[in-house]
């Protein structure tokens, strides 16, 4: 089958790789900040060159010989996957020893390379960029990633060096799963277990994962687009602007997903942070399956703490399926396929209008609606208007407040009758005269 050509953006830290990536893909997908080392995982985006789709990989800064978190392994994995390297250097700073060390790592691989001299809108870059020819790279392009200058020349150079492959058809519209949870609960380790390779960076340092990473994964014969997201933490506990930006991107990733795989640390039980994230999942109308990680490390006391705190989480997420796992050994992850598929099927539930009205009539009969100033609340007609999550439109003699206990009663009745465990139900009530 035809394969989409791939180009990796590489270089030492803080030369503008992520800014260039965002320019080429046409949207702010990678985190951009002037602090070295902000990009840690590989980020993949797509663009078109002369009518051909090209995948771009943004990588973290390569620092040969200094790799406490395994960042260099991630960069080199991206390099090996790629057909072309965009080797980015800082034209304002000129050729430095760190650039030479990076090139010493890349040159033996024999990949086609475009040397991208960034900050080409500065006088220093324009007057001194010739010194970069000392690296021995034939194709050199002067650009300004921040302002977009020189991108036409870069695109032309890329098109000439990338393999002539047919454009691959767009991938199918797969259900999206977002791995969410507090920092350092094992999200990246679970992703790596599921995809069978070191796709996301793993470290015991909280906050290591900052950029969202998308991977197609198969579970029980079905394919999903799986995303590992930055650990969501409270603003008061953030450690600088890059982490705050990462949290914002993680929340956006959750907004675009269908189902959240909420990872919690079994040894800590359900914490207030877990409940806050569960609240966001519910607020955004996403289905949920909960992965209780580090299950194999529980002692009797921590097991008791977990079981006592679980009902609070189950209430927020509407009795979701719970899967006890160990990211370290992979134990329990083989049981994930069935609850994910079943929960997504429930998330996509659709009913006929007649069925909706029968269910509501039964719920109203079981518990009569409240009255206001002597007038009972009355439903004239109901229908399902969308799925994912199941959303129902009710025409009534007056609106029903969002905080109404009777609204919650109706949502719970519909969820119970339709077996929608782990799935939110939405009611939209419109006022209409009889």
């Amino acid at each position: 089958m035809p394969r989409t050509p791939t180009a990796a953006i590489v270089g030492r830290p803080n030369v503008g790789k992520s800014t260039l990536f965002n320019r080429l893909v046409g949207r702010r997908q990678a985190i951009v900040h002037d602090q070295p080392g902000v990009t840690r995982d590989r980020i993949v985006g797509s663009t078109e060159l002369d009518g051909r789709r090209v995948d771009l990989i943004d990588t973290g800064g390569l620092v040969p010989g200094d790799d406490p978190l395994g960042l260099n392994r991630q960069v080199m994995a991206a390099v090996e996957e790629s057909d072309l390297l965009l080797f980015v250097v800082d034209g304002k700073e000129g050729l430095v020893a760190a650039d030479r060390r990076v090139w010493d790592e890349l040159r033996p691989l024999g990949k086609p390379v475009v040397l991208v001299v960034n900050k080409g809108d500065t006088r220093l870059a324009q007057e001194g960029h010739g010194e970069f020819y000392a690296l021995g790279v034939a194709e050199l392009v002067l650009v300004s990633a921040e302002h977009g200058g020189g991108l036409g020349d870069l695109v032309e150079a890329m098109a000439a060096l990338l393999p002539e492959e047919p454009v691959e058809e767009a991938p199918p519209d797969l259900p999206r799963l977002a791995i969410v949870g507090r920092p350092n609960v094992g999200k990246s380790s679970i992703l790596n277990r599921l995809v069978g390779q070191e796709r996301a960076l793993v470290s015991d340092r909280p906050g290591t994962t900052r950029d969202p990473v998308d991977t197609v994964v198969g579970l029980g014969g079905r394919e999903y687009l799986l995303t590992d997201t930055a650990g969501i933490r409270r603003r008061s506990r953030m450690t600088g602007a890059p982490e705050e930006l990462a949290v914002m991107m993680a929340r956006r990733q959750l907004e675009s997903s269908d189902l959240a795989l909420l990872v919690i640390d079994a040894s800590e039980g359900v914490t207030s942070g877990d409940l806050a994230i569960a609240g966001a999942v519910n607020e955004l109308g996403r289905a949920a399956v909960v992965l209780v990680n580090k299950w194999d490390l529980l002692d009797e006391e921590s097991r008791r703490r977990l079981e006592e705190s679980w009902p609070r989480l189950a209430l927020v997420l509407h009795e979701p399926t719970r899967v006890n796992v160990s990211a370290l050994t992979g134990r329990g992850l083989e049981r994930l396929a069935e609850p994910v598929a079943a929960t997504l099927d429930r998330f996509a539930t659709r009913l006929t209008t007649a069925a909706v009205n029968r269910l509501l009539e039964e719920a109203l009969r079981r518990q009569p609606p409240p009255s206001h100033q002597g007038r009972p609340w009355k439903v004239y007609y109901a229908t399902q208007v969308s799925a994912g999550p199941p959303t129902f439109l009710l025409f009534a003699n007056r609106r029903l407040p969002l905080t109404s206990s009777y609204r919650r009663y109706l949502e719970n009745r519909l969820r119970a009758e339709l077996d929608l465990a782990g799935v939110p139900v939405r009611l939209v009530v419109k006022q209409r005269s009889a």
Side-chain angles (χ1 to χ4, degrees), residues 357 375 378-382 395-398 432-434:
N357 283 277
R375 294 181 59 223
K378 184 177 182 181
V379 177
Y380 301 122
Y381 174 77
F395 293 96
N397 61 341
R398 64 174 180 272
R432 194 184 75 176
S433 56

Side-chain angles (χ1 to χ4, degrees), residues 12 39 77 102 113 117 122 128-129 138 150 152 190 210 217 222 225 250 262 270 284 311 339 343 365 387 392 403:
R12 62 182 173 87
T39 300
V102 170
V113 178
V117 182
T122 64
H129 70 274
I190 287 173
R210 286 178 172 169
V217 63
R222 293 193 186 186
L225 195 61
L262 174 57
V270 176
L284 293 169
T343 303
R365 186 189 64 79
F392 303 93
T403 56

